[in-house]
Amino acid sequence: MTIRGVHHTAIIVRDLDRSIYFYHDVLGLELSQEPSDWMEGEALARGTGVPGARLRNALLRIGSDATLELLEYANRPADNDRPIQQNYLGAMHIALRVDDITAKKAELERHGVEFLAEVNGFDDGALAGWRWVYFHDPDGISLELVEVAYSNEYERRLRIEEYLATRPSLEALVD
């Protein structure tokens, strides 16, 4: 059975309504589901792995085939006021693909978005053609803009094949 794609990516936010302002009004993502009522119960707690889970959510469309879910937990731990640092195990970010990274960055800056650096780029190696820059949402969650200015798919396929043929065995990687 083949995995057909990513259905959605979810972010835990402090305040769902505030986050909708950022993701909808500032980034321009379209709501594909209105904010839900608060949900709770044993099935939800068991399904999420969060004892006593009480949450609400909203869905936003990213492009033609991706969805972002924003989740607000009523019972988020009190000492959890910042997202984990990007180099921590399990840390993730969302990279939003744009056609013109310079123009999109300037547009977001006009809305008060602060970027961590100027636009960076790779002109060789595995990410050749990528232009990228990181920023944060109102909760400090890492987001990235990416423009793929060019791509040499033939070279990329060759490097993938070489990696798969020469990578360490799974047995050598198991602790």
Side-chain angles (χ1 to χ4, degrees):
M1 181 93 76
T2 301
I3 294 176
R4 295 183 16 218
V6 173
H7 180 269
H8 71 273
T9 300
I11 298 175
I12 309 309
V13 298
R14 285 181 210 203
D15 182 302
L16 184 61
D17 297 305
R18 182 183 73 167
S19 291
I20 289 171
Y21 273 106
F22 179 77
Y23 286 92
H24 177 267
D25 297 275
V26 175
L27 292 185
L29 303 183
E30 175 189 344
L31 276 164
S32 59
Q33 174 217 297
E34 76 282 5
S36 70
D37 293 330
W38 287 101
M39 299 176 274
E40 59 189 314
E42 186 54 38
L44 183 64
R46 201 172 34 259
T48 60
V50 176
R54 183 168 189 263
L55 62 87
R56 63 188 193 125
N57 78 332
L59 300 176
L60 297 109
R61 191 173 327 286
I62 303 174
S64 61
D65 199 32
T67 299
L68 174 63
E69 180 181 26
L70 301 176
L71 288 158
E72 176 186 359
Y73 276 85
N75 62 334
R76 192 171 45 81
D79 64 347
N80 176 228
D81 61 347
R82 297 191 47 76
I84 61 175
Q85 189 172 297
Q86 277 297 286
N87 62 338
Y88 279 43
L89 183 64
M92 298 200 285
H93 68 273
I94 295 176
L96 304 167
R97 189 168 180 174
V98 297
D99 292 327
D100 184 337
I101 196 167
T102 304
K104 189 63 173 181
K105 180 178 181 281
E107 174 190 324
L108 293 177
E109 286 173 328
R110 286 191 297 275
H111 285 283
V113 174
E114 295 181 13
F115 287 82
L116 303 185
E118 293 303 314
V119 173
N120 296 282
F122 294 102
D123 290 316
D124 52 24
L127 302 178
W130 282 32
R131 306 293 177 249
W132 58 276
V133 64
Y134 277 78
F135 62 106
H136 293 130
D137 81 352
D139 289 320
I141 295 166
S142 292
L143 300 171
E144 178 183 10
L145 293 180
V146 174
E147 174 189 341
V148 180
Y150 62 88
S151 178
N152 185 327
E153 290 304 312
Y154 176 74
E155 282 183 26
R156 189 162 295 192
R157 292 294 328 150
L158 286 178
R159 288 193 307 265
I160 290 170
E161 288 174 17
E162 181 181 332
Y163 164 75
L164 291 173
T166 61
R167 67 184 171 174
S169 70
L170 180 58
E171 294 78 21
L173 299 173
V174 177
D175 295 342

